[in-house]
Coordinates of all heavy atoms in Angstrom, one line a residue:
M1 N 5.9 2.0 -15.3 CA 5.9 2.7 -14.0 C 5.1 1.9 -13.0 O 5.4 1.9 -11.9 CB 5.4 4.1 -14.3 CG 5.3 4.9 -13.0 SD 6.6 6.0 -12.8 CE 6.3 6.7 -11.3
G2 N 4.0 1.3 -13.5 CA 3.1 0.6 -12.6 C 3.7 -0.5 -11.9 O 3.5 -0.8 -10.7
F3 N 4.6 -1.3 -12.6 CA 5.3 -2.4 -12.1 C 6.2 -2.0 -10.9 O 6.2 -2.6 -9.8 CB 6.1 -3.1 -13.1 CG 6.9 -4.2 -12.6 CD1 6.4 -5.4 -12.2 CD2 8.3 -4.0 -12.4 CE1 7.2 -6.4 -11.6 CE2 9.1 -5.0 -11.9 CZ 8.6 -6.2 -11.5
F4 N 6.9 -0.9 -11.1 CA 7.9 -0.5 -10.1 C 7.1 0.1 -8.9 O 7.6 -0.1 -7.7 CB 8.8 0.6 -10.7 CG 9.7 0.0 -11.7 CD1 9.6 0.3 -13.0 CD2 10.7 -1.0 -11.4 CE1 10.4 -0.2 -14.0 CE2 11.5 -1.5 -12.3 CZ 11.4 -1.2 -13.6
T5 N 6.0 0.8 -9.1 CA 5.3 1.3 -7.9 C 4.6 0.1 -7.2 O 4.6 0.1 -5.9 CB 4.2 2.3 -8.3 OG1 3.3 1.7 -9.3 CG2 4.8 3.6 -8.9
A6 N 4.2 -0.9 -7.9 CA 3.6 -2.1 -7.2 C 4.7 -2.8 -6.4 O 4.4 -3.2 -5.3 CB 3.0 -3.0 -8.3
L7 N 5.9 -2.8 -7.0 CA 7.0 -3.5 -6.3 C 7.3 -2.7 -5.0 O 7.5 -3.3 -3.9 CB 8.2 -3.5 -7.2 CG 9.4 -4.4 -6.8 CD1 9.0 -5.8 -6.7 CD2 10.5 -4.2 -7.8
I8 N 7.4 -1.4 -5.1 CA 7.7 -0.5 -3.9 C 6.6 -0.7 -2.8 O 6.9 -0.9 -1.7 CB 7.8 1.0 -4.3 CG1 9.0 1.2 -5.2 CG2 7.7 1.9 -3.1 CD1 9.0 2.5 -5.9
V9 N 5.3 -0.7 -3.2 CA 4.3 -0.8 -2.2 C 4.3 -2.2 -1.6 O 4.1 -2.3 -0.4 CB 2.9 -0.6 -2.9 CG1 1.8 -1.0 -2.0 CG2 2.7 0.9 -3.3
N10 N 4.6 -3.2 -2.4 CA 4.6 -4.6 -1.8 C 5.8 -4.8 -0.9 O 5.7 -5.4 0.2 CB 4.6 -5.6 -2.9 CG 3.2 -5.8 -3.5 OD1 2.3 -6.1 -2.7 ND2 3.1 -5.7 -4.8
I11 N 7.0 -4.3 -1.3 CA 8.2 -4.4 -0.4 C 8.1 -3.6 0.9 O 8.2 -4.1 2.0 CB 9.5 -4.1 -1.2 CG1 9.7 -5.1 -2.3 CG2 10.7 -4.0 -0.3 CD1 10.8 -4.8 -3.2
V12 N 7.8 -2.3 0.7 CA 7.7 -1.5 1.9 C 6.5 -1.8 2.7 O 6.6 -2.0 4.0 CB 7.7 0.0 1.5 CG1 7.4 0.9 2.7 CG2 8.9 0.4 0.7
G13 N 5.4 -2.0 2.1 CA 4.1 -2.3 2.9 C 4.2 -3.7 3.5 O 3.8 -3.8 4.7
G14 N 4.8 -4.6 2.8 CA 5.0 -6.0 3.4 C 5.9 -5.9 4.6 O 5.7 -6.6 5.7
A15 N 7.0 -5.1 4.5 CA 7.9 -5.0 5.7 C 7.2 -4.3 6.9 O 7.4 -4.8 8.0 CB 9.1 -4.2 5.2
V16 N 6.4 -3.3 6.6 CA 5.7 -2.6 7.7 C 4.7 -3.6 8.4 O 4.6 -3.6 9.6 CB 5.0 -1.4 7.2 CG1 4.0 -0.8 8.2 CG2 6.0 -0.3 6.8
L17 N 4.0 -4.3 7.6 CA 3.0 -5.3 8.1 C 3.7 -6.4 8.9 O 3.2 -6.8 9.9 CB 2.1 -5.8 7.0 CG 1.2 -4.8 6.4 CD1 0.5 -5.5 5.1 CD2 0.1 -4.4 7.4
C18 N 4.8 -6.9 8.4 CA 5.5 -7.9 9.1 C 6.1 -7.5 10.4 O 6.4 -8.3 11.3 CB 6.6 -8.5 8.2 SG 6.0 -9.5 6.9
M19 N 6.4 -6.2 10.5 CA 7.0 -5.7 11.8 C 6.0 -5.4 12.8 O 6.3 -4.7 13.8 CB 7.9 -4.4 11.5 CG 9.1 -4.7 10.7 SD 10.2 -3.3 10.6 CE 9.2 -2.0 10.0
G20 N 4.8 -5.8 12.6 CA 3.7 -5.6 13.6 C 2.8 -4.4 13.3 O 1.8 -4.2 14.0
G21 N 3.1 -3.6 12.3 CA 2.3 -2.6 11.8 C 2.4 -1.3 12.6 O 1.6 -0.4 12.4
F22 N 3.3 -1.2 13.6 CA 3.4 0.1 14.4 C 3.8 1.3 13.5 O 3.6 2.4 14.0 CB 4.2 -0.1 15.6 CG 5.7 -0.4 15.3 CD1 6.6 0.6 15.2 CD2 6.1 -1.7 15.2 CE1 7.9 0.4 14.9 CE2 7.5 -2.0 14.9 CZ 8.4 -0.9 14.8
L23 N 4.4 1.1 12.4 CA 4.8 2.2 11.5 C 3.7 2.6 10.5 O 4.0 3.5 9.7 CB 6.1 1.8 10.8 CG 7.4 1.7 11.6 CD1 8.6 1.3 10.8 CD2 7.7 3.1 12.3
I24 N 2.6 1.9 10.5 CA 1.6 2.2 9.5 C 1.1 3.7 9.5 O 1.0 4.3 8.5 CB 0.4 1.2 9.7 CG1 0.8 -0.1 9.2 CG2 -0.9 1.7 8.9 CD1 -0.3 -1.2 9.3
P25 N 0.9 4.3 10.7 CA 0.5 5.7 10.7 C 1.5 6.6 10.0 O 1.2 7.7 9.5 CB 0.3 6.1 12.1 CG 0.1 4.8 12.8 CD 0.9 3.7 12.0
I26 N 2.8 6.2 9.9 CA 3.8 7.0 9.3 C 4.0 6.7 7.8 O 4.1 7.5 7.0 CB 5.2 6.9 10.0 CG1 5.0 7.3 11.5 CG2 6.3 7.6 9.3 CD1 6.2 7.0 12.4
V27 N 4.1 5.4 7.5 CA 4.4 4.9 6.2 C 3.2 5.0 5.2 O 3.4 5.3 4.1 CB 5.0 3.5 6.2 CG1 5.3 3.0 4.9 CG2 6.3 3.5 7.0
A28 N 2.0 4.6 5.7 CA 0.8 4.5 4.9 C 0.6 5.9 4.1 O 0.4 5.8 2.9 CB -0.4 4.1 5.7
P29 N 0.6 7.0 4.8 CA 0.4 8.3 4.1 C 1.5 8.6 3.0 O 1.2 9.2 2.0 CB 0.3 9.3 5.2 CG 0.0 8.6 6.4 CD 0.6 7.2 6.2
L30 N 2.7 8.2 3.3 CA 3.8 8.4 2.4 C 3.6 7.6 1.1 O 4.0 8.0 0.0 CB 5.1 8.0 3.0 CG 5.6 8.8 4.2 CD1 6.9 8.3 4.8 CD2 5.8 10.3 3.8
L31 N 3.0 6.4 1.2 CA 2.7 5.6 0.0 C 1.4 6.0 -0.7 O 1.2 5.6 -1.8 CB 2.6 4.1 0.4 CG 3.9 3.5 0.9 CD1 3.7 2.1 1.4 CD2 4.9 3.5 -0.2
G32 N 0.5 6.7 0.1 CA -0.8 7.1 -0.6 C -2.0 6.5 0.0 O -3.1 6.6 -0.6
F33 N -1.9 5.9 1.2 CA -3.1 5.3 1.9 C -3.6 6.3 2.9 O -2.8 6.9 3.6 CB -2.7 4.0 2.5 CG -2.3 2.9 1.6 CD1 -0.9 2.7 1.3 CD2 -3.2 2.2 1.0 CE1 -0.5 1.8 0.4 CE2 -2.8 1.2 0.1 CZ -1.4 1.0 -0.2
S34 N -4.9 6.5 3.0 CA -5.4 7.5 3.9 C -6.7 6.9 4.6 O -7.1 5.8 4.2 CB -5.8 8.8 3.2 OG -6.9 8.6 2.4
A35 N -7.2 7.6 5.5 CA -8.4 7.2 6.2 C -9.6 7.0 5.3 O -10.6 6.3 5.6 CB -8.8 8.1 7.4
S36 N -9.6 7.7 4.2 CA -10.7 7.6 3.2 C -10.4 6.7 2.0 O -11.2 6.6 1.1 CB -11.1 9.0 2.7 OG -10.0 9.6 2.1
G37 N -9.3 6.0 2.1 CA -8.9 5.1 1.0 C -7.6 5.5 0.3 O -6.8 6.2 0.9
I38 N -7.4 5.0 -0.9 CA -6.2 5.3 -1.6 C -6.3 6.7 -2.3 O -7.3 7.0 -2.9 CB -5.9 4.2 -2.7 CG1 -5.6 2.9 -2.0 CG2 -4.7 4.6 -3.6 CD1 -5.4 1.7 -2.9
M39 N -5.3 7.5 -2.1 CA -5.3 8.9 -2.6 C -5.0 8.9 -4.1 O -4.0 8.2 -4.5 CB -4.3 9.8 -1.8 CG -4.6 10.0 -0.4 SD -3.4 11.1 0.5 CE -2.1 10.0 0.8
A40 N -5.7 9.7 -4.8 CA -5.5 9.8 -6.3 C -4.1 10.4 -6.6 O -3.6 11.3 -5.9 CB -6.5 10.8 -6.9
G41 N -3.5 9.8 -7.6 CA -2.1 10.2 -8.0 C -1.0 9.8 -7.2 O 0.1 10.2 -7.4
S42 N -1.2 8.9 -6.2 CA -0.2 8.5 -5.3 C 0.5 7.2 -5.8 O 0.1 6.6 -6.8 CB -0.8 8.2 -3.9 OG -1.7 7.1 -4.0
I43 N 1.5 6.8 -5.1 CA 2.2 5.5 -5.4 C 1.2 4.4 -5.3 O 1.2 3.4 -6.1 CB 3.4 5.3 -4.5 CG1 4.5 6.4 -4.8 CG2 4.0 3.9 -4.7 CD1 5.6 6.4 -3.8
A44 N 0.4 4.4 -4.2 CA -0.6 3.3 -4.0 C -1.6 3.3 -5.2 O -2.0 2.2 -5.6 CB -1.3 3.5 -2.7
A45 N -2.0 4.4 -5.7 CA -3.0 4.4 -6.8 C -2.4 3.8 -8.0 O -3.0 3.1 -8.8 CB -3.4 5.9 -7.0
S46 N -1.1 4.1 -8.3 CA -0.4 3.6 -9.4 C -0.3 2.1 -9.3 O -0.5 1.3 -10.3 CB 1.0 4.2 -9.6 OG 1.7 3.7 -10.7
A47 N 0.0 1.6 -8.1 CA 0.2 0.2 -7.9 C -1.2 -0.5 -8.0 O -1.3 -1.6 -8.6 CB 0.7 -0.1 -6.5
Q48 N -2.3 0.1 -7.5 CA -3.6 -0.5 -7.7 C -4.0 -0.5 -9.1 O -4.6 -1.5 -9.6 CB -4.6 0.3 -6.9 CG -6.0 -0.4 -6.9 CD -7.0 0.3 -6.1 OE1 -6.8 1.4 -5.6 NE2 -8.1 -0.3 -5.8
S49 N -3.7 0.5 -9.9 CA -4.0 0.5 -11.3 C -3.2 -0.6 -12.1 O -3.7 -1.1 -13.1 CB -3.8 1.9 -11.9 OG -2.4 2.2 -12.0
Y50 N -2.1 -0.9 -11.6 CA -1.3 -2.0 -12.2 C -1.9 -3.3 -12.0 O -2.0 -4.1 -12.9 CB 0.2 -2.0 -11.7 CG 1.0 -3.1 -12.2 CD1 1.5 -3.1 -13.5 CD2 1.3 -4.2 -11.4 CE1 2.3 -4.1 -13.9 CE2 2.1 -5.2 -11.8 CZ 2.6 -5.2 -13.1 OH 3.3 -6.3 -13.6
Y51 N -2.4 -3.6 -10.8 CA -3.0 -4.8 -10.5 C -4.5 -5.0 -11.0 O -4.9 -6.0 -11.3 CB -3.0 -5.1 -9.0 CG -1.7 -5.4 -8.4 CD1 -1.0 -4.6 -7.5 CD2 -1.0 -6.5 -8.9 CE1 0.2 -5.0 -7.0 CE2 0.3 -6.9 -8.4 CZ 0.9 -6.1 -7.4 OH 2.1 -6.4 -7.0
G52 N -5.2 -3.9 -11.0 CA -6.6 -3.9 -11.3 C -7.4 -4.3 -10.1 O -7.2 -3.8 -9.0
N53 N -8.3 -5.3 -10.2 CA -9.0 -5.8 -9.1 C -8.1 -6.5 -8.1 O -7.4 -7.4 -8.5 CB -10.2 -6.7 -9.5 CG -11.2 -6.0 -10.3 OD1 -11.4 -4.8 -10.1 ND2 -11.9 -6.7 -11.1
L54 N -8.2 -6.2 -6.8 CA -7.4 -6.8 -5.8 C -8.2 -7.8 -5.0 O -9.3 -7.6 -4.7 CB -6.8 -5.7 -4.9 CG -5.9 -4.7 -5.5 CD1 -5.6 -3.5 -4.6 CD2 -4.6 -5.4 -5.9
M55 N -7.5 -8.9 -4.6 CA -8.1 -9.9 -3.8 C -8.0 -9.5 -2.3 O -7.1 -8.8 -1.9 CB -7.5 -11.2 -4.0 CG -7.6 -11.7 -5.4 SD -6.9 -13.4 -5.6 CE -8.0 -14.3 -4.7
A56 N -9.0 -9.9 -1.6 CA -8.9 -9.7 -0.1 C -7.7 -10.5 0.4 O -7.3 -11.6 0.0 CB -10.1 -10.3 0.6
G57 N -7.0 -9.8 1.3 CA -5.8 -10.4 1.9 C -4.5 -10.0 1.2 O -3.4 -10.3 1.7
S58 N -4.6 -9.2 0.1 CA -3.4 -8.7 -0.5 C -2.7 -7.6 0.3 O -3.4 -7.1 1.2 CB -3.7 -8.2 -1.9 OG -4.4 -7.0 -1.9
I59 N -1.5 -7.3 0.0 CA -0.8 -6.3 0.8 C -1.5 -5.0 0.7 O -1.6 -4.2 1.6 CB 0.7 -6.2 0.4 CG1 1.4 -7.5 0.9 CG2 1.4 -5.0 1.0 CD1 2.9 -7.6 0.5
I60 N -1.9 -4.6 -0.5 CA -2.5 -3.3 -0.8 C -3.9 -3.3 0.0 O -4.2 -2.2 0.6 CB -2.7 -3.1 -2.3 CG1 -1.4 -2.9 -2.9 CG2 -3.6 -1.8 -2.5 CD1 -1.4 -2.7 -4.4
S61 N -4.6 -4.3 0.0 CA -5.9 -4.3 0.7 C -5.7 -4.3 2.2 O -6.4 -3.6 3.0 CB -6.8 -5.5 0.4 OG -6.2 -6.7 0.7
K62 N -4.7 -4.9 2.7 CA -4.3 -4.9 4.2 C -3.9 -3.5 4.6 O -4.3 -3.0 5.6 CB -3.3 -5.9 4.5 CG -3.8 -7.3 4.5 CD -2.7 -8.3 4.9 CE -3.2 -9.7 4.9 NZ -2.1 -10.7 5.3
L63 N -3.1 -2.8 3.7 CA -2.6 -1.5 4.0 C -3.8 -0.5 4.0 O -3.8 0.5 4.8 CB -1.5 -1.1 3.1 CG -0.1 -1.7 3.3 CD1 0.8 -1.3 2.2 CD2 0.4 -1.2 4.6
T64 N -4.7 -0.7 3.0 CA -5.8 0.2 2.9 C -6.7 0.1 4.2 O -7.1 1.1 4.8 CB -6.7 -0.1 1.7 OG1 -5.9 0.0 0.5 CG2 -7.9 0.8 1.6
A65 N -6.9 -1.1 4.6 CA -7.7 -1.3 5.8 C -7.0 -0.8 7.1 O -7.6 -0.1 7.9 CB -8.0 -2.8 6.0
A66 N -5.7 -1.0 7.2 CA -5.0 -0.5 8.3 C -4.9 1.0 8.4 O -5.0 1.6 9.4 CB -3.6 -1.1 8.3
A67 N -4.8 1.6 7.2 CA -4.7 3.1 7.2 C -6.1 3.7 7.5 O -6.2 4.8 8.1 CB -4.3 3.6 5.8
M68 N -7.2 3.0 7.2 CA -8.5 3.5 7.5 C -8.8 3.4 9.0 O -9.5 4.2 9.6 CB -9.6 2.7 6.7 CG -9.6 3.0 5.3 SD -10.8 2.1 4.4 CE -11.2 3.2 3.1
I69 N -8.1 2.4 9.7 CA -8.3 2.3 11.1 C -7.4 3.2 11.9 O -7.8 3.8 12.9 CB -8.0 0.8 11.5 CG1 -9.1 -0.1 10.9 CG2 -8.0 0.7 13.0 CD1 -8.8 -1.6 11.1
A70 N -6.2 3.4 11.4 CA -5.1 4.2 12.1 C -5.5 5.6 12.2 O -6.1 6.2 11.6 CB -3.8 4.0 11.5

């Protein structure tokens, strides 16, 4: 399950970030990103648990930062 959620977050999140990020306030909460970080039990949490420690600049870290700002 973790692989597929990681794939979803990377495809959808990457597309949102590539389009300029104007959909982040809509898409980020649907994936599980919030102003306080990644929500427990969400798609984003499953993707993060699949990867473990994330490097700066990854799609998940960029979405987390963007959701905290938005």
Side-chain angles (χ1 to χ4, degrees):
M1 177 100 181
F3 172 75
F4 294 111
T5 57
L7 192 63
I8 290 167
V9 169
N10 281 306
I11 291 171
V12 173
V16 168
L17 291 171
C18 286
M19 291 188 308
F22 64 91
L23 291 176
I24 286 176
I26 297 168
V27 176
L30 295 175
L31 293 175
F33 297 95
S34 71
S36 60
I38 295 176
M39 295 183 280
S42 67
I43 295 171
S46 178
Q48 185 179 13
S49 70
Y50 175 74
Y51 287 120
N53 292 333
L54 296 168
M55 297 183 71
S58 68
I59 291 175
I60 293 177
S61 63
K62 287 181 181 181
L63 284 172
T64 301
M68 290 180 150
I69 294 170

